[in-house]
């Protein structure tokens, strides 16, 4: 970490701009891997199975939207030296109330979802072994122990390995499916076939778009990037991560288009759809390819689990710290020391426990109706909340003039905000009222 925490001869942090370099890549890979879960892969596969390559353009736009959102979160942390929650708090008490309710309910239901998703491929790989609930609990406990006892540097290395597995497996499966190059290029032209609007919005807004995008700035600080001298490095990191995600999404669309669209094979919605795909791959390419795919499925799910266990716990620890601090008090500069302290704090570990143990009860129960409604509404509002509050913060005097939004950033964040508002309305309408 020494190379990311350079100081001047006086001992002050060196504020000279760093040259962007591949050796610094890390936080972006973490946020991208955390945001892409098994459910996102199924949504992309279903879009490919229904419309072939026609919606490829939507996946590309989605990648650009995520780059803009993550860049804005990272720029806020580096330009102001304040955390994102500190910025939210400056907008009024309503942000504190929303986040407090959201993070408790979301964490309770997401914990069970993440553990089940990580367990599914293990059960498929070892059908004669213990059942889903056993493996779900095991993966949750492993995630808890890993995040509890490791700091960011180890966490980032493990996430990078999991991303590598995800990427290699999905690109390999797409290559085995033999993509139609001509059709894929034709898919870059914006077209909306009948009945495709919701799938299009989902492709643009869904893959890699979760609360963990807000955690990007915290991971940037954990890496040792704590002031605007790291801006170029952060932007390269972010772009590499989401271009990688874009390739990943395109590969899944290829698999959907080539293996499912022509054969009119339907997948089960949700994470179990990937088990269906594993069976299709076994029929088409043999057991070795199906096994490799299930390993990639596990890497995708488990990277999301430990990413949330670390990133959202870090956000919760910062939330508690800022909530306890006087509103007009002196602001601590956000940096690696702050993150390191928060990783050892009681709120960080309390939220880790909240993500792990209470959700285990949901593995035996149907999700309570009221919780499903609350989870759906609060979750649907989060991405519009993130996009619109970043637009507000980065156009105000809270951000140094040099680092405020330009017209491109404003346009992309406004587009993201509008898109996520539409998705929010649709998700709320689809809830089981």
């Amino acid at each position: 970490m020494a190379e990311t925490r350079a100081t001047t001869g006086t001992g002050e942090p060196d504020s000279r701009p760093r040259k962007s370099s591949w050796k610094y890549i890390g936080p972006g890979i973490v946020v991208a891997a955390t945001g892409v879960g098994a459910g996102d892969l199924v949504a992309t596969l279903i879009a490919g199975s229904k419309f072939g390559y026609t919606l490829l353009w939507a996946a590309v736009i989605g990648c650009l939207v995520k780059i803009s959102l993550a860049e804005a979160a990272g720029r806020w942390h580096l330009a102001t030296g304040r955390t994102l929650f500190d910025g939210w708090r400056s907008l009024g008490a309503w942000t504190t109330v929303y986040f407090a309710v959201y993070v408790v309910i979301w964490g309770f239901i997401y914990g069970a979802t993440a553990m089940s998703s990580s367990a599914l491929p293990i059960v498929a790989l070892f059908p004669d072994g213990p059942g889903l609930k056993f493996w779900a609990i095991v993966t949750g406990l492993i995630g808890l122990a890993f995040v509890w006892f490791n700091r960011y540097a180890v966490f980032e290395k493990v996430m990078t390995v999991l991303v590598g597995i995800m990427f290699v497996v999905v690109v390999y499966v797409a290559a085995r499916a033999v993509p139609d190059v001509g059709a894929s290029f034709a898919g870059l032209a914006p077209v909306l076939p009948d009945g495709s609007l919701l799938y299009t919005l989902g492709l643009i807004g869904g893959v890699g778009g979760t609360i963990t995008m807000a955690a990007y700035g915290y991971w940037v600080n954990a890496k040792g990037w704590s002031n605007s001298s790291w801006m170029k490095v952060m932007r390269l990191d972010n772009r590499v991560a989401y271009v990688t995600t874009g390739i990943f999404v395109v590969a899944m669309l290829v698999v959907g288009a080539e293996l499912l669209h022509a054969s009119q094979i339907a997948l089960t919605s949700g994470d179990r759809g990937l088990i269906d795909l594993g069976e299709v791959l076994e029929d088409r390419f043999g057991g070795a390819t199906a096994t490799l795919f299930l390993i990639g499925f596990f890497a995708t799910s488990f990277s999301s689990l430990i990413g949330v266990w670390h990133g959202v716990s870090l956000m919760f620890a910062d939330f508690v710290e800022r909530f306890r601090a006087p509103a007009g008090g002196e602001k601590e500069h956000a940096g690696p020391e702050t993150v390191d302290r928060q990783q050892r704090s009681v709120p960080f570990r309390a939220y880790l426990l909240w993500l792990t143990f209470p959700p285990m009860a949901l593995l035996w129960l149907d999700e309570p109706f009221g919780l499903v409604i609350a989870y759906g509404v609060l979750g649907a509002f989060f991405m519009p909340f993130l996009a619109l509050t970043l637009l507000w913060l980065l156009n105000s005097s809270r951000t140094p003039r040099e680092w405020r939004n330009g017209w491109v950033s404003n346009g992309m964040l406004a587009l993201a905000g509008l898109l996520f508002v539409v998705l929010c309305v649709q998700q709320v309408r689809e809830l089981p009222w």
Side-chain angles (χ1 to χ4, degrees):
M1 292 292 287
E3 64 182 358
T4 63
R5 297 186 187 183
T7 59
T8 63
T10 63
E12 294 297 317
D14 189 349
S15 59
R16 291 172 297 179
R18 270 75 169 183
K19 291 183 179 179
S20 54
S21 171
W22 293 90
K23 68 181 181 180
Y24 294 131
I25 301 301
I29 294 293
V30 171
V31 74
T34 304
V36 178
D40 295 310
L41 300 191
V42 174
T44 307
L45 281 168
I46 291 175
S49 69
K50 287 183 175 292
F51 304 104
Y53 293 92
T54 309
L55 300 181
L56 185 61
W57 62 273
V60 174
I61 290 179
C63 181
L64 296 176
V65 166
K66 304 307 183 308
I67 287 174
S68 300
L69 274 170
E71 188 275 341
R75 176 154 47 94
W76 166 263
H77 275 248
L78 295 181
T80 66
R82 299 167 67 184
T83 66
L84 187 53
F85 185 77
D86 203 9
W88 285 339
R89 194 181 182 202
S90 73
L91 301 179
W94 65 276
T95 59
T96 301
V97 173
Y98 169 74
F99 185 79
V101 177
Y102 170 75
V103 80
V104 171
I105 295 177
W106 181 88
F108 182 51
I109 295 188
Y110 180 83
T113 303
M115 288 186 275
S116 295
S117 180
S118 297
L120 274 171
I122 302 177
V123 173
L125 284 166
F126 305 104
D128 297 326
L132 182 73
K133 294 181 180 65
F134 172 85
W135 286 118
I137 290 171
V138 168
T139 57
L141 292 175
I142 291 172
L144 170 68
F146 173 75
V147 174
W148 190 290
F149 292 109
N150 288 291
R151 295 291 169 261
Y152 176 79
V154 176
F155 166 70
E156 183 190 285
K157 286 182 175 64
V158 170
M159 289 291 279
T160 302
V161 171
L162 291 172
V163 169
I165 295 170
M166 291 163 53
F167 187 82
V168 169
V169 167
V170 170
V171 171
Y172 167 75
V173 171
R176 289 294 303 268
V178 190
D180 184 331
V181 177
S184 61
F185 276 109
L188 295 174
V191 175
L192 276 178
D194 290 343
S196 68
L197 179 60
L198 293 181
Y199 292 97
T200 303
L201 291 173
L203 263 182
I204 297 174
V207 180
T210 69
I211 185 176
T212 52
M213 294 198 72
Y216 180 56
Y218 293 86
W219 284 324
V220 161
N221 289 155
K223 182 74 170 175
W225 308 346
S226 57
N227 58 47
S228 59
S229 69
W230 293 100
M231 202 69 76
K232 285 185 178 180
V233 176
M234 180 274 292
R235 284 170 168 161
L236 175 66
D237 172 72
N238 175 43
R239 288 165 188 165
V240 168
Y242 277 101
V243 167
T244 303
T245 302
I247 295 171
F248 192 73
V249 172
V250 168
M252 291 305 287
L253 201 69
V254 167
V255 173
E258 294 296 340
L259 293 185
L260 308 177
H261 180 61
S263 306
Q264 294 297 300
I265 297 172
L267 295 183
T268 306
S269 61
D271 299 348
R272 290 185 181 274
L274 294 185
I275 301 297
D276 297 346
L277 178 60
E279 293 170 357
V280 172
L281 291 172
E282 185 169 9
D283 290 341
R284 179 75 70 89
F285 302 120
T289 298
T291 298
L292 187 65
F293 175 75
L294 289 171
I295 292 170
F297 176 6
F298 174 77
T300 301
S301 299
F302 193 65
S303 64
S304 292
L305 185 152
I306 61 173
V308 166
W309 263 230
H310 186 276
V312 183
S313 296
L314 202 53
M315 291 182 68
F316 182 76
D318 185 58
F319 160 73
V320 172
E321 191 171 286
R322 306 293 165 179
F323 181 74
R324 288 174 174 171
E330 184 178 347
K331 307 298 182 186
E332 178 187 26
H333 188 88
E337 294 77 13
T338 304
V339 173
D340 195 53
R341 186 190 69 250
Q342 289 174 339
Q343 286 178 116
R344 297 192 303 269
S345 69
V346 171
F348 180 88
R349 291 179 170 175
Y351 195 74
L352 261 180
L353 296 172
W354 175 253
L355 281 168
T356 307
F357 290 107
M360 288 179 183
L362 294 181
L363 298 174
W364 277 270
L365 303 170
D366 289 332
E367 294 172 355
F369 180 78
L371 268 181
V372 171
I373 298 298
Y375 174 79
V377 172
L378 290 166
F381 273 96
F382 185 80
M383 291 305 286
F385 170 79
L386 176 62
L388 297 174
T389 53
L390 282 171
L391 197 61
W392 188 349
L393 290 169
L394 292 168
N395 281 291
S396 72
S397 59
R398 298 172 181 83
T399 304
R401 185 173 298 278
E402 178 185 1
W403 301 112
R404 290 178 197 167
N405 278 358
W407 65 271
V408 174
S409 294
N410 277 329
M412 291 303 294
L413 287 177
L415 173 64
L418 179 62
L419 167 71
F420 290 127
V421 166
V422 174
L423 281 171
C424 171
V425 171
Q426 183 59 35
Q427 287 175 42
V428 171
R429 287 177 59 190
E430 290 179 352
L431 287 172
W433 298 97

